[in-house]
Amino acid sequence: MSKIGIIGAMELEVETLKAQMKVEKKTVKAGMEFFEGTLDAANVVVVRCGIGKVNAGICVQILVDLFDVTHIINTGVAGSLNPKLDIGEIIVSKDVIHHDVDVRVFGYPLGEVPQLGCREFIADEKMVELALEACKEVNPDLPTTTGRIVSGDQFISSNDVKNYLIENFAADCAEMEGASIAHAAYLNKVPFVVIRAISDKADGSAEMDYPTFEREAAHHCAEITKCFVQKL
Ligand code: ADE
């Protein structure tokens, strides 16, 4: 039987799921509240990890150690780096990379953590397929992309940084947790996928667009996640 860890960085990324689930137990660890229970027919643990890569990595380790999760999903919002990926649209991760890791001086490719043996964390193929199915079911008219997500402890809001991420990583969107979640899932051999709704264009307009669209985008992503976990 699957037990699915669902992580959002912010409250608005998990509040829809928490409101709709039947909570059996709440556990607090590392300042994070883990809600264990069911979302319709699915066994889930829903948690807000807080913003950024350290929170995200710690959260995955707790989900693995204390809750024995079989799958990990990261739901939330992201800034688009792909002109074809508009605000409100959904991206499902094909792979995820740390954009703020740079040990090129010792011969490692930009984004690769030394001695780990990989730069890209590949999302679970089956989870990607089912997530795409869920996207179509929840919102048949909305375009959905599978692509590359990059993460760093940085809100991207300038054309210069945006172009750097596009040129160096050929990335489709940027956010602040996915790569750590993927990295920790990889170390623990737990399958993962990241599903994000676009809240801004990660450029000069991002600080205006983000507060306007984040709530709607986050809730939409949570609805897809709810549909998706029924399929796992
Ligand atoms: N999450 C949503 N928009 C983002 C951006 N522009 N940069 C980083 N994380 C984000």
Side-chain angles (χ1 to χ4, degrees):
M1 180 77 179
S2 300
K3 187 169 184 186
I4 305 153
I6 305 175
I7 305 172
M10 297 177 296
E11 190 56 29
L12 63 87
E13 291 170 330
V14 292
E15 66 192 6
T16 313
L17 296 168
K18 272 166 45 182
Q20 293 182 20
M21 74 182 281
K22 186 164 167 264
V23 178
E24 274 148 27
K25 194 173 170 199
K26 178 179 130 180
T27 308
V28 179
K29 182 88 181 167
M32 301 171 197
E33 294 178 335
F34 295 81
F35 294 88
E36 238 178 319
T38 50
L39 251 177
D40 293 343
N43 277 326
V44 296
V45 185
V46 175
V47 54
R48 172 176 67 87
C49 70
I51 292 165
K53 290 171 53 180
V54 172
N55 288 325
I58 288 171
C59 185
V60 169
Q61 198 58 53
I62 295 170
L63 282 171
V64 171
D65 289 347
L66 262 58
F67 298 95
D68 268 329
V69 295
T70 56
H71 300 76
I72 289 173
I73 301 171
N74 176 213
T75 174
V77 296
S80 175
L81 302 172
N82 177 342
K84 292 190 189 137
L85 195 52
D86 220 336
I87 290 174
E89 292 182 8
I90 300 290
I91 176 164
V92 176
S93 63
K94 183 168 67 65
D95 58 21
V96 194
I97 304 178
H98 295 286
H99 72 66
D100 56 358
V101 171
D102 183 358
V103 193
R104 282 175 295 179
V105 67
F106 293 123
Y108 292 96
L110 185 64
E112 182 165 320
V113 173
Q115 302 181 358
L116 193 63
C118 69
R119 181 179 82 132
E120 300 90 3
F121 301 102
I122 313 287
D124 181 71
E125 227 173 274
K126 189 73 195 163
M127 292 178 82
V128 172
E129 187 189 314
L130 296 176
L132 289 172
E133 255 181 54
C135 291
K136 278 219 180 72
E137 248 173 77
V138 171
N139 209 331
D141 299 329
L142 195 71
T144 305
T145 308
T146 41
R148 172 164 293 167
I149 298 178
V150 289
S151 319
D153 282 321
Q154 193 178 1
F155 186 86
I156 311 300
S157 57
S158 84
N159 269 319
D160 285 353
V161 184
K162 177 174 179 168
N163 289 334
Y164 164 87
L165 297 178
I166 295 168
E167 277 160 25
N168 287 285
F169 297 99
D172 295 297
C173 76
E175 37 81 310
M176 300 177 68
E177 295 82 24
S180 285
I181 288 169
H183 185 158
Y186 168 79
L187 292 176
N188 286 284
K189 299 186 172 55
V190 177
F192 80 92
V193 72
V194 181
I195 309 173
R196 297 266 177 167
I198 299 301
S199 56
D200 58 83
K201 294 288 191 72
D203 56 13
S205 62
E207 60 185 296
M208 291 285 286
D209 287 342
Y210 178 80
T212 311
F213 297 111
E214 65 168 342
R215 176 164 295 276
E216 199 185 329
H219 284 196
H220 181 203
C221 207
E223 286 301 338
I224 289 166
T225 300
K226 185 183 168 206
C227 173
F228 169 37
V229 293
Q230 309 308 316
K231 298 171 183 286
L232 277 175

